[in-house]
Amino acid sequence: MKIRATKLTAIASAIQKLLGTFTPQSLFTSGVNGAWYDPSDFSTMFQDAAGTTPVTAVGQPVGRILDKSGRGNHAYNPSGNSANYPVLQQDGTGRYYLAFNGVNQWLRSIGSIDLTYGDKIFVAAGTRKLSDAARGMPVEFGDGSINTRQFQINAPSGATNDYRFTSSGSASVNTTATGYTAPITNVISGIGDISGPKAVLRVNAAQAAISTASQGTGNYGNYPLYIGARGGASLFFNGRLYGLVVAGKAASAGEIASTEAWLNQKTGAY
């Protein structure tokens, strides 16, 4: 037991050292597509969808947030109604987040994100779920319909105290972990591998659920990324988003651990 504890301490120490230089931008090399959104970076946020009026203080709507991955997959709300925009807020520990009201607030990537080159995905979000009363969708990649949802994170997946990660090729597979009663702050990660097949749900840097059921064939496709709702029309997320990383790749164990630790700095989840 002492040897195991020593090894875990050494791993944790190594991760902390890496965090001095690690940012999620390092995931997006060699043609990897995806997105990275960081609400703690004021320079990336605007009060309007066009990106002309910068966000300068908490309490302001965020109609556009820039993608820091280098892939140009910026997110906005095209409705033209600021009531539909999430709002920048700050929690009691000084951490910044986008607040989604569970009623009408959402964002989406300006264009589609092309993931047709592969069938692996890594998505990680720092969230605070505020209610378990109804299904909420912090993240979904697809065309906004129930028939095309290539991957998604649910918080919760219904009127229950759970999280769910869905990964889809020509067939969909769900992985669900229960026992996370709102209000609760967590770093949630999904690892999808269509041909593996594998769908893994991680909560606070630990595996919470896994499925090796068939996801059929194909790749993740070329679709918009929706944040806070399905297609901007349903399954609105009631909670906070402290950060979001989506990388179309088979992330290494080190990349997963470093990304989750980076998001933990943004959330203080664990």
Side-chain angles (χ1 to χ4, degrees), residues 104-116:
N104 63 340
Q105 295 173 338
W106 58 282
L107 298 168
R108 58 152 286 174
S109 58
I110 291 174
S112 294
I113 299 176
D114 188 357
L115 299 178
T116 57

Side-chain angles (χ1 to χ4, degrees), residues 90-256:
Q90 187 176 27
D91 68 19
T93 66
R95 294 177 169 92
Y96 293 99
Y97 61 89
L98 298 182
F100 292 84
N101 64 6
V103 178
N104 63 340
Q105 295 173 338
W106 58 282
L107 298 168
R108 58 152 286 174
S109 58
I110 291 174
S112 294
I113 299 176
D114 188 357
L115 299 178
T116 57
Y117 62 85
D119 68 348
K120 313 289 190 290
I121 193 69
F122 170 53
V123 52
T127 67
R128 182 167 176 81
K129 178 174 56 138
L130 295 180
S131 174
D132 289 324
R135 187 177 177 189
M137 192 77 68
V139 186
E140 183 171 69
F141 184 74
D143 66 3
S145 75
I146 191 171
N147 296 316
T148 306
R149 54 201 189 286
Q150 295 306 103
F151 61 82
Q152 62 182 227
I153 290 176
N154 291 251
S157 66
T160 184
N161 63 350
D162 68 359
Y163 293 119
R164 187 169 78 189
F165 171 64
T166 299
S167 178
S168 306
S170 56
S172 279
V173 169
N174 298 320
T175 54
T176 302
T178 62
Y180 300 94
T181 301
I184 189 170
T185 303
N186 294 113
V187 174
I188 313 167
S189 302
I191 301 165
D193 182 344
I194 294 171
S195 62
K198 182 173 68 174
V200 179
L201 172 62
R202 292 170 57 85
V203 180
N204 292 350
Q207 183 174 297
I210 184 171
S211 173
T212 56
S214 174
Q215 299 176 40
T217 60
N219 53 59
Y220 287 106
N222 186 13
Y223 297 106
L225 180 71
Y226 285 92
I227 306 169
R230 167 171 286 167
S234 65
L235 307 182
F236 291 97
F237 173 55
N238 185 359
R240 304 172 181 177
L241 184 69
Y242 288 86
L244 174 62
V245 178
V246 176
K249 64 180 293 181
S252 69
E255 289 173 326
I256 292 167

